[in-house]
Amino acid sequence: MTHQIQPVVLCGGSGTRLWPLSRKTLPKQFAPLIGNKSLLVLTLERLRLLNPNVTCVAAEEHRFLVQEAIDDAKVSGKQLLEPVARNTAAAMAAVALLADPEQLLLFAPADHHIPDPERFAATVLKGVPAALAGHVVAFGVEPSFPSTAYGYIRQGERLDAALGDDAGHAVAAFIEKPAAERAEQLLLEGGNLWNAGILLVQAKVLIAALQAHADDILDSCRLATADMQPDGDFLRMDSAAFARCRSQSIDYAVLEKCERVAVIPFQGRWSDVGSWNAVADLHGADADGNQISGQGYAMGASNTFIHAPCRPVVALGTKDLLVVDTPDALLVMHRDCAEQVKDVVTLLTTQGQSQATQHRRIPRPWGAYDSIDAGDRFAVKRLTVKPGARLALRMHHHRAEHWVVVKGTARVLCDDKAQLVKENESIYIPVGAVYRLENAGKTSLEVIEVQTGGYLGDDDIVRFDEGGTQVLGETRKLA
């Protein structure tokens, strides 16, 4: 029965409450968070139990991050690229329109943590009979405490016995994120589940529900998907048509209005990893309640969480703190302030701080670069190039570059002269030279790049196509 299910991972979202780890250029679903794996990789590995072919819906700017996660999780599948963010209703509508009408689609967020993948897969399979009978099947989590951070689903009558003993209940109501007193009442009442945001539905059923309750979103997505532009495993929609689509979640657009919605409870551990308190809860605590990730040390501290992936971070005599360290930003806050981190991002953005949205390490199709240091007339970067990958042919008007290979073997083309540069060797790229860097080996290539010159801006670049013709009217932020 697993072959009937097509997993679809919704990779949108900025995750501002997990700043400084999560930023616009690298949202939380792509950042290494648990066991040096990203939440997206863990999600793909979990869905692999149902079907190793997985569809991802992602922003254009994150396409290569998604591809890396697909490769790391050892799954395959197409990526549907969104030119702009338009929330879950539009993303799901586009997928449904491109699918076979009879196809069972399992929509799952990319940023949830479910440590028992086998139990998750078994729970999803319980929803197949109801989904084939025309229901939109939601999955709810048995609440363990009165959370104010999650929406709730109230279970109604059991579904027809013909669908099986585990087919679930009809949904009586969707309840918005409640205040603390209301959350306690919902827990005491029983029969209320946390809304996990995971849905199983046939493509034709979802399309019919959208037609009935959000026909404008469906119409926009029909236009956007009418003439798809394939690029390898990437699928691009019509940008203008998709941009005109109304932005709304599937909950508001469809589920709260639809009559045939069922819910099945999931009884394992689940977290949407929506705050640093939620991240802390994923780690075991010592006798004093301290939770450590990475190179953290707690001395005379209590109830303190430390996230320190890069360097030693010591909390001395602290209490009830969350400490999050990254190479270019540090966050220290009281545990009660975890929901206010998004306000910090807003403040830094208004102050023009690049750390609000960008990491020091910038992913690129060929690998990544890390801006190590910069000053007047110089900049130092560490380039990491994937095996077989290469940077585009280019030239700079105002800067020279000096490369030192510290790992692997580089093939460098400089003014029509090609040469191999091995570990502990270097090469100089003068101002005005037309050059390209390529990883000639089968392992990762690491290069220290020193830029010098009167102007080091990212727009000082002339790009060339493979035939050596200048590409006009195009500048990109490159290493």
Side-chain angles (χ1 to χ4, degrees), residues 3 14 33 81 156 201 209 234 240 249 254 267 281 293 315 331 351 355 401 418 430 435 449:
H3 71 278
S14 58
L33 193 62
L81 301 180
V201 60
F234 303 137
S249 72
V254 173
Q267 298 175 333
D281 289 342
S293 173
L331 175 66
Q351 295 295 316
Q355 290 89 341
E401 296 180 350
Y435 72 94
E449 175 182 281

Side-chain angles (χ1 to χ4, degrees), residues 381-426:
K381 297 182 178 181
R382 176 183 177 182
L383 311 184
T384 304
V385 185
K386 302 173 186 175
R390 64 184 183 184
L391 284 67
L393 197 64
R394 78 234 0 240
M395 180 268 285
H396 303 290
H397 288 294
H398 302 286
R399 78 177 187 232
E401 296 180 350
H402 187 182
W403 293 339
V404 180
V405 176
V406 295
K407 180 182 177 182
T409 301
R411 179 182 289 113
V412 179
L413 177 67
C414 184
D415 283 339
D416 295 326
K417 180 183 178 181
Q419 68 180 93
L420 294 179
V421 185
K422 301 178 181 179
E423 290 184 13
N424 299 320
E425 296 179 350
S426 64

Side-chain angles (χ1 to χ4, degrees), residues 430-478:
V431 175
V434 177
Y435 72 94
R436 178 167 60 205
L437 174 67
E438 180 180 354
N439 185 345
K442 296 183 179 180
T443 60
S444 180
L445 169 67
E446 295 184 10
V447 176
I448 301 300
E449 175 182 281
V450 180
Q451 303 175 0
T452 58
Y455 180 72
L456 305 175
D458 291 320
D459 55 348
D460 176 27
I461 182 173
V462 178
R463 294 170 59 85
F464 301 91
D465 62 22
E466 291 301 314
T469 302
Q470 181 178 336
V471 180
L472 299 175
E474 181 182 7
T475 59
R476 296 182 181 177
K477 189 174 182 181
L478 296 165

Side-chain angles (χ1 to χ4, degrees), residues 151-437:
Y152 288 73
I153 299 174
R154 178 175 296 145
Q155 299 180 89
E157 298 293 326
R158 281 190 173 276
L159 296 183
D160 192 320
L163 298 177
D165 295 336
D166 297 322
H169 295 71
V171 171
F174 287 92
I175 302 169
E176 292 298 309
K177 296 177 182 178
E181 184 176 345
R182 176 60 173 151
E184 292 178 1
Q185 181 183 357
L186 291 172
L187 198 65
L188 291 172
E189 287 177 358
N192 297 304
L193 306 169
W194 288 337
N195 187 353
I198 302 171
L199 299 173
L200 181 67
V201 60
Q202 275 187 302
K204 64 181 182 181
V205 172
L206 179 57
I207 291 172
L210 285 160
Q211 186 68 60
H213 305 294
D215 58 338
D216 61 318
I217 292 178
L218 185 64
D219 289 344
S220 295
C221 290
R222 283 191 195 278
L223 292 174
T225 58
D227 184 22
M228 298 297 294
Q229 299 298 319
D231 178 10
D233 287 336
F234 303 137
L235 299 174
R236 289 182 171 84
M237 295 182 283
D238 183 277
S239 298
F242 195 74
R244 289 193 293 269
C245 185
R246 174 164 55 93
S247 178
Q248 194 171 35
S249 72
I250 194 67
D251 299 67
Y252 289 134
V254 173
L255 297 186
E256 294 183 358
K257 307 169 186 176
C258 189
E259 295 182 359
R260 291 176 62 81
V261 184
V263 62
I264 291 179
F266 174 69
Q267 298 175 333
R269 288 178 57 201
W270 168 87
S271 172
D272 74 343
V273 199
S275 71
W276 279 111
N277 276 324
V279 175
D281 289 342
L282 300 178
H283 298 80
D286 64 17
D288 296 313
N290 299 308
Q291 297 154 304
I292 307 297
S293 173
Q295 303 179 56
Y297 298 89
M299 299 178 61
S302 63
N303 198 31
T304 294
F305 170 69
I306 305 173
H307 177 80
C310 303
R311 57 185 171 179
V313 174
V314 180
L316 179 60
T318 60
K319 182 180 180 181
D320 298 332
L321 290 187
L322 298 166
V323 182
V324 183
D325 187 41
T326 67
D328 61 348
L330 172 67
L331 175 66
V332 180
M333 62 180 162
H334 193 277
R335 282 182 177 265
D336 292 344
C337 298
E339 296 297 323
Q340 301 173 30
V341 175
K342 57 185 178 181
D343 298 330
V344 175
V345 177
T346 301
L347 172 64
L348 294 176
T349 301
T350 60
Q351 295 295 316
Q353 296 287 343
S354 62
Q355 290 89 341
T357 58
Q358 295 182 355
H359 277 278
R360 204 181 76 173
R361 183 180 184 275
I362 305 296
R364 284 289 176 259
W366 41 262
Y369 71 85
D370 186 358
S371 298
I372 299 172
D373 196 8
D376 186 28
R377 298 181 64 87
F378 84 92
V380 182
K381 297 182 178 181
R382 176 183 177 182
L383 311 184
T384 304
V385 185
K386 302 173 186 175
R390 64 184 183 184
L391 284 67
L393 197 64
R394 78 234 0 240
M395 180 268 285
H396 303 290
H397 288 294
H398 302 286
R399 78 177 187 232
E401 296 180 350
H402 187 182
W403 293 339
V404 180
V405 176
V406 295
K407 180 182 177 182
T409 301
R411 179 182 289 113
V412 179
L413 177 67
C414 184
D415 283 339
D416 295 326
K417 180 183 178 181
Q419 68 180 93
L420 294 179
V421 185
K422 301 178 181 179
E423 290 184 13
N424 299 320
E425 296 179 350
S426 64
I427 186 171
Y428 176 69
I429 309 295
V431 175
V434 177
Y435 72 94
R436 178 167 60 205
L437 174 67

Side-chain angles (χ1 to χ4, degrees), residues 48-124:
R48 188 175 62 197
L49 299 179
L50 295 164
N51 189 339
N53 184 281
V54 182
T55 299
C56 293
V57 185
E60 173 78 30
E61 63 184 306
H62 298 144
R63 62 194 184 281
F64 297 108
L65 295 174
V66 175
Q67 189 59 56
E68 285 185 359
I70 288 174
D71 295 340
D72 291 343
K74 296 180 174 57
V75 298
S76 61
K78 298 290 185 180
Q79 292 185 43
L80 180 61
L81 301 180
E82 296 179 299
V84 292
R86 286 296 180 264
N87 218 311
T88 53
M92 293 171 63
V95 172
L97 288 167
L98 293 171
D100 183 283
E102 303 294 325
Q103 179 68 63
L104 272 178
L105 302 171
L106 176 68
F107 293 96
D111 55 0
H112 291 183
H113 180 54
I114 303 174
D116 190 344
E118 288 79 12
R119 177 176 289 186
F120 167 79
T123 302
V124 169

